[in-house]
Amino acid sequence: MNIALLTAAGSGTRTNQDIPKQFLHVNNKPILIYTLEAFQKHPSIDEICVVILNGWEQILWAYARQFNITKLKYVVDGGETGQESIYNGLMEIRKHRSGDDTVMIHDGNRPMVGQELITDSLVKYAKCGSAVAAIPCTEVVFISEDGREAERSIPRDNLRRTQTPHTYRLSEICEAHEEARRRGLTNMAASCQIMEALGRKTYFSKGSEKNLKITTAEDIEIFKALLATKKDDWMK
């Protein structure tokens, strides 16, 4: 069984809005629902778990009924950090599912995740045992101690920008999060960072520049533009 674990417990302070960014409406639909619809639509996803901001659980269930998100099975309160929120979701899934099942962790505020990205993540997981969506870094990246000046850059050919989804065997990712807690590894930005800290290799699946993570008000403008964009017929 393949279970999607969506993290949507952030308060969205960087968008400077009155409600969490995942519930902001774009074209009369909450951003989180766009993300849910992507996993609802994919034939290989069996269930969805959402880790949500405390107090918004019933609102999420109401939206799920309104937009026919029938695969939503679990709604869990988030933690103080993203790492804690993922842990809470994993522990809830483990109550109901086998350790041999597959869990796909995805940011709830990445609503443009395509069907191809979900499929490729599952394919790479089946081949390698894990999968982390990533894209090449096309910019020149400098290392700066103070944010004002730098003397050293990193060769961009060696860099990959990770996104989500991240796909793992349920028992393995649960064990990794529990081991991180035992070691005092806290506030890790992503599960793949935990895997790195535990000495485990990361395998990359397909990412996309369109797989936008909505963090600021500017990102919402970009999201609206992407929704309105149609690929020209002449483009390969």
Side-chain angles (χ1 to χ4, degrees):
M1 179 170 284
N2 300 321
I3 304 106
L5 170 55
L6 307 187
T7 56
S11 57
T13 54
R14 281 176 287 182
T15 56
N16 295 315
Q17 304 301 311
D18 294 330
I19 66 173
K21 57 182 176 290
Q22 56 270 35
F23 286 104
L24 291 174
H25 280 231
V26 174
N27 297 344
N28 297 316
K29 186 188 299 185
I31 290 171
L32 180 56
I33 292 298
Y34 285 95
T35 313
L36 281 161
E37 286 178 335
F39 290 92
Q40 173 73 28
K41 180 180 177 181
H42 199 283
S44 295
I45 298 299
D46 301 297
E47 294 182 344
I48 301 171
C49 171
V50 175
V51 185
I52 201 70
L53 193 65
N54 186 29
W56 289 81
E57 300 88 349
Q58 293 307 313
I59 295 173
L60 174 59
W61 282 116
Y63 278 134
R65 290 190 293 270
Q66 178 183 352
F67 291 96
N68 199 32
I69 309 297
T70 59
K71 292 182 181 179
L72 180 62
K73 303 299 180 183
Y74 322 107
V75 176
V76 186
D77 283 346
E80 293 296 319
T81 66
Q83 181 180 341
E84 287 184 14
S85 293
I86 293 172
Y87 178 82
N88 291 353
L90 290 171
M91 294 303 103
E92 180 64 25
I93 294 170
R94 191 166 68 174
K95 293 177 186 176
H96 308 278
R97 294 295 160 219
S98 164
D100 291 331
D101 287 331
T102 303
V103 62
M104 181 177 288
I105 304 168
H106 186 70
D107 299 317
N109 57 332
R110 286 190 190 269
M112 292 294 289
V113 58
Q115 300 295 285
E116 183 181 10
L117 268 62
I118 297 172
T119 297
D120 194 68
S121 188
L122 291 169
V123 169
K124 183 56 65 74
Y125 164 76
K127 181 179 180 180
C128 301
S130 66
V132 174
I135 57 176
C137 185
T138 57
E139 299 87 359
V140 175
V141 177
F142 278 87
I143 299 174
S144 175
E145 297 296 331
D146 58 10
R148 291 179 292 133
E149 59 183 16
E151 296 180 351
R152 184 161 62 96
S153 64
I154 305 173
R156 63 184 180 184
D157 289 345
N158 297 335
L159 299 178
R160 291 296 180 272
R161 292 161 49 201
T162 62
Q163 305 177 329
T164 58
H166 299 171
T167 302
Y168 299 99
R169 188 170 182 261
L170 178 59
S171 60
E172 182 180 10
I173 191 61
C174 286
E175 183 275 329
H177 272 263
E178 290 175 330
E179 178 64 19
R181 290 164 72 91
R182 285 193 291 270
R183 294 191 188 186
L185 301 174
T186 60
N187 205 21
M188 307 292 273
S191 293
C192 59
Q193 193 176 10
I194 291 176
M195 290 300 195
E196 177 199 10
L198 298 180
R200 303 183 191 180
K201 189 176 292 187
T202 292
Y203 297 93
F204 296 130
S205 62
K206 187 177 296 184
S208 171
E209 292 286 2
K210 289 184 178 181
N211 189 22
L212 173 73
K213 184 176 183 180
I214 295 178
T215 305
T216 67
E218 288 182 346
D219 295 330
I220 297 174
E221 294 178 23
I222 296 171
F223 176 45
K224 289 180 178 180
L226 288 170
L227 287 175
T229 299
K230 180 181 178 182
K231 186 177 181 179
D232 291 334
D233 294 337
W234 59 269
M235 296 183 70
K236 294 180 179 180

